[in-house]
Amino acid sequence: FLFGFGMTLASGCGSKTLIRIGGGNLKSLVVLVFLGISAYMTLRGVFALWRANGLDPLRFDVTALGAAASDLPVMLYDVPGRAGRAVATETILRLAHEVPTVVALKDAGGDPARAARLLAEAPEGFEVYSGDEPLSLAFAAYGAVGVVGVSSHWTGRQQRDLWDAVAKVDFSAARAVNAGLLASFEYMNNDTCVFSQAVKVALGELGLTVGECRLPLGPPPPDTAARARPVLTDLGFELS
């Protein structure tokens, strides 16, 4: 109800607001400012208490209800860079203990040490996967068992070699594999090209039809393909 009311006043959702700003709509610019202020108010101050005591428990209940509706295994995603805030460690542990189908976590929170606590306090069999490829070795040191990544769209073979080496406790070999992935990590995300654009360009260079990114993202920077090609050829791909 509140979401629909807000959309009516703002003439659209958050994504549409960004699109309308790109078209020069001043009302949408005002909406974006108030959206940012409102979001910040839920992280600090009085409104944060309302959010923590009122909305966070509801979020857990909704997540638990969805996970319990199926007998399929569920991997939680914690990606603060997209969601705006991290999922509390206590919430992850509670889900892991109370919902049998919650069996794993993609952790893109940038804090590999948290994996140690999660694995120490979660039920037996609960797994943590690195969600931040440049930090995969650190996550592995704390007990992560794999990666859910971006460059893995084209580095799957090397990623498998890295985690096989980790499983054998051969971190010297894992570091060597990781060194060969650094160029991919640098390519996949920078100040002018976000990861989704980089992935689509790289896969396009490999001959796969993947289309363009959806709005509000526009086309990739013109030099993206030129940056992708040496990364791919260094990994052994033969490009046309």
Side-chain angles (χ1 to χ4, degrees):
F1 171 78
L2 288 177
F3 181 71
F5 183 71
M7 283 188 60
T8 301
L9 290 178
S11 301
C13 63
S15 296
K16 187 175 181 180
T17 295
L18 293 175
I19 296 170
R20 287 163 62 91
I21 289 175
N25 186 284
L26 293 180
K27 176 184 175 181
S28 294
L29 181 60
V30 174
V31 169
L32 181 65
V33 170
F34 276 90
L35 183 64
I37 292 172
S38 301
Y40 184 79
M41 288 170 63
T42 66
L43 300 177
R44 300 286 189 274
V46 176
F47 284 92
L49 297 176
W50 174 75
R51 186 261 307 154
N53 295 324
L55 293 183
D56 281 5
L58 176 62
R59 180 181 65 181
F60 169 76
D61 290 339
V62 172
T63 303
L65 180 63
S70 169
D71 57 0
L72 295 174
V74 173
M75 174 185 283
L76 302 176
Y77 269 45
D78 185 16
V79 189
R82 298 186 203 172
R85 63 187 298 265
V87 180
T89 302
E90 291 73 17
T91 301
I92 295 171
L93 289 170
R94 185 178 168 195
L95 284 166
H97 280 283
E98 297 185 15
V99 185
T101 52
V102 173
V103 298
L105 168 72
K106 170 189 174 178
D107 192 338
D111 182 13
R114 183 177 72 157
R117 179 188 171 190
L118 286 170
L119 292 170
E121 299 182 24
E124 183 178 357
F126 185 82
E127 296 178 335
V128 172
Y129 290 76
S130 167
D132 195 343
E133 288 162 288
L135 295 177
S136 284
L137 281 180
F139 275 102
Y142 284 104
V145 296
V147 62
V148 180
V150 174
S151 78
S152 51
H153 283 80
W154 63 87
T155 62
R157 185 179 304 169
Q158 291 82 2
Q159 298 278 5
R160 175 62 185 267
D161 291 342
L162 187 153
W163 288 98
D164 281 349
V166 168
K168 298 174 183 176
V169 200
D170 187 351
F171 276 86
S172 178
R175 285 194 299 270
V177 176
N178 188 73
L181 296 173
L182 296 180
S184 289
F185 299 160
E186 182 178 358
Y187 161 75
M188 71 185 185
N189 219 2
N190 59 51
D191 292 337
T192 61
C193 183
V194 299
F195 69 91
S196 47
Q197 294 171 321
V199 167
K200 286 181 175 290
V201 170
L203 296 182
E205 290 297 312
L206 294 175
L208 299 174
T209 303
V210 292
E212 297 289 339
C213 292
R214 293 178 295 177
L215 291 173
L217 287 177
D223 67 337
T224 305
R227 293 193 303 107
R229 292 181 70 85
V231 172
L232 296 171
T233 54
D234 286 350
L235 291 172
F237 289 104
E238 295 183 2
L239 306 181
S240 58

